[in-house]
């Protein structure tokens, strides 16, 4: 039987609670400072900052991004073990979908933001966000994804093995990097490549390009989402490992443990605040 993910307690240690309270106090002071410099500080930036601060008290947000038709929704479905999200060759994702634990159901949270509940154990401690494609013909789709990035705690970037690390992907990743987000890379559809040598070349190419952009060696997971979903549905352990999802599961269970999630959760609003403070620091001396 394929193992469940993240069976850990969500209770924070006293030290972590103290850090969170102290950070909230510092962020509130920064927010008050930014508000004093209106209208020089854009309302959009203030909104993003407030959303990031509010998210400090929320669940861990893993946001899945990538180009249209890179297989983001299929990847999430494989991870959850069933087709929770629609898939297709046309831009099927025209809004942001927040997946959390609960009985199946949908409700609107904001314009273009829908909450979908599903009874999968992974969602008890991590909320997964599916986003529109970043290179879809409908430009509003990419705008929605860009606007949501400051809220997230971890970005999982999906690129396709048959067209890895395109120029539009590079441009979008630069936007993600500006907000100080940790980024994981998924090379999807690895099964379309002829052999192990081709797969290694593609993964090495993504590693090299992402490393140049981010200034560090990225974590990369080569997977076949369709094979993973098929194996998960059938309870096929060998097929699950062969699809590459065994490595993804181990990362979520072992590396992205409670301590790491808390660390990333605390860093998220700090990085957003630092970015905005750097952007508007000259206003204070004019």
């Amino acid at each position: 039987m394929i193992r469940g993910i993240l069976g850990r307690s969500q209770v924070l240690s006293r030290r972590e609670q103290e850090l969170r309270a102290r950070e909230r106090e510092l962020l509130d002071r920064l927010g008050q400072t930014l508000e004093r410099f209106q209208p020089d500080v854009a309302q959009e930036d203030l909104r993003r900052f407030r959303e990031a601060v509010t998210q400090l008290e929320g669940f861990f947000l893993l946001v899945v991004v990538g180009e249209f038709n890179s297989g983001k929704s299929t990847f999430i479905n494989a991870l959850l073990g069933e087709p929770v999200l629609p898939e297709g060759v046309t831009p099927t994702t025209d809004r942001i979908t927040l997946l959390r634990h609960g009985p199946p159901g949908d409700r609107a949270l904001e314009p273009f933001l829908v909450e979908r509940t599903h009874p999968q154990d992974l969602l008890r401690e991590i909320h997964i966000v599916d986003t529109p494609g970043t290179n879809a013909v409908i430009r509003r789709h990419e705008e929605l994804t860009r606007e949501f990035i400051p809220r997230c705690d971890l970005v999982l970037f999906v690129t396709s093995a048959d067209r890895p690390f395109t120029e539009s992907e590079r441009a979008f990743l630069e936007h993600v990097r500006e907000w100080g987000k940790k980024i994981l890379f998924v090379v999807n559809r690895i099964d379309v490549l002829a052999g192990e040598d081709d797969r290694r070349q593609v993964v090495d190419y993504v590693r090299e390009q992402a490393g140049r952009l981010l200034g560090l060696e990225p974590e990369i997971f080569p997977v076949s989402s369709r094979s993973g979903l098929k194996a998960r549905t059938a309870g096929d352990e060998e097929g699950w490992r062969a699809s590459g999802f065994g490595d993804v599961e181990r990362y979520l269970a072992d590396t992205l443990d409670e301590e790491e999630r808390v660390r990333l959760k605390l860093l998220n609003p700090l990085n957003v605040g630092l970015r905005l403070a750097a952007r508007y620091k000259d206003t204070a001396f004019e």
Side-chain angles (χ1 to χ4, degrees):
M1 181 177 179
I2 297 172
R3 66 175 178 152
I5 306 175
L6 300 176
R8 296 183 173 88
S9 170
Q10 203 178 5
V11 179
L12 296 176
S13 69
R14 178 174 299 179
R15 175 60 176 163
E16 289 162 349
Q17 292 181 37
E18 291 173 352
L19 286 172
R20 183 172 292 195
R22 184 180 179 188
E23 180 175 330
R24 183 60 186 260
E25 180 182 351
L26 292 172
L27 290 170
D28 286 343
R29 290 167 58 187
L30 175 58
Q32 293 169 8
T33 301
L34 290 173
E35 288 174 354
R36 291 194 189 103
F37 291 100
Q38 295 183 72
D40 299 287
V41 177
Q43 286 297 317
E44 187 71 10
D45 283 337
L46 282 175
R47 179 182 64 80
R48 288 172 175 169
F49 176 74
R50 291 168 184 147
E51 288 173 347
V53 173
T54 300
Q55 183 55 35
L56 183 64
E57 306 300 330
F59 277 75
F60 188 88
L61 280 187
L62 169 62
V63 177
V64 181
V65 301
E67 289 193 340
F68 153 68
N69 208 26
S70 62
K72 301 185 304 298
S73 298
T74 308
F75 173 85
I76 295 172
N77 286 339
L79 199 58
L80 298 179
E82 56 186 287
V84 179
L85 298 169
E87 304 172 21
V89 296
T90 58
T92 53
T93 304
D94 61 355
R95 66 193 67 192
I96 294 170
T97 302
L98 170 66
L99 293 166
R100 70 171 185 83
H101 188 270
D106 290 357
R107 70 185 179 107
L109 298 179
E110 302 172 12
F112 302 105
L113 176 60
V114 173
E115 177 188 81
R116 176 164 296 175
T117 51
H118 183 73
Q120 217 281 358
D121 284 346
L122 170 61
L123 300 174
R124 291 183 184 275
E125 300 196 22
I126 294 179
H127 288 178
I128 299 177
V129 181
D130 187 30
T131 60
T134 59
N135 67 331
V137 175
I138 306 172
R139 301 313 303 169
R140 178 55 178 158
H141 288 188
E142 180 168 337
E143 292 172 6
L144 289 170
T145 302
R146 285 177 174 270
E147 291 170 3
F148 198 83
I149 289 298
R151 300 194 200 185
C152 72
D153 301 307
L154 176 65
V155 173
L156 195 154
F157 195 89
V158 179
T159 186
S160 184
D162 55 358
R163 44 179 176 79
F165 219 90
T166 65
E167 282 304 311
S168 65
E169 287 179 329
R170 185 190 306 276
F172 186 80
L173 283 167
E174 288 177 350
H175 169 75
V176 176
R177 182 189 60 180
E178 288 177 359
W179 291 105
K181 304 297 180 181
K182 180 178 176 62
I183 307 172
L184 306 178
F185 290 83
V186 168
V187 180
N188 194 22
R189 300 192 180 114
I190 203 72
D191 52 312
V192 304
L193 301 177
E196 190 60 35
D197 287 344
D198 289 345
R199 297 179 184 184
R200 188 179 301 110
Q201 287 180 25
V202 168
V203 172
D204 287 346
Y205 174 75
V206 173
R207 179 176 288 109
E208 178 184 357
Q209 297 301 314
R212 288 179 180 176
L213 180 66
L214 303 178
L216 51 84
E217 184 170 343
E219 296 182 79
I220 301 175
F221 300 94
V223 304
S224 169
S225 294
R226 293 206 177 278
S227 297
L229 178 57
K230 182 178 178 181
R232 193 71 183 257
T233 303
D236 178 3
E237 290 276 359
E238 185 176 348
W240 177 252
R241 288 192 294 271
S243 72
F245 274 85
D247 292 336
V248 178
E249 189 175 51
R250 278 190 293 275
Y251 179 88
L252 294 177
D254 300 332
T255 305
L256 195 62
D257 58 11
E258 183 180 0
E259 182 178 353
E260 178 66 2
R261 294 198 308 273
V262 169
R263 187 183 74 84
L264 293 174
K265 171 67 71 177
L266 293 173
L267 281 175
N268 172 34
L270 282 177
N271 285 333
V272 172
L274 287 171
R275 181 178 188 270
L276 295 179
R279 178 185 294 179
Y280 293 108
K281 67 177 182 179
D282 293 337
T283 304
F285 301 102
E286 291 180 355

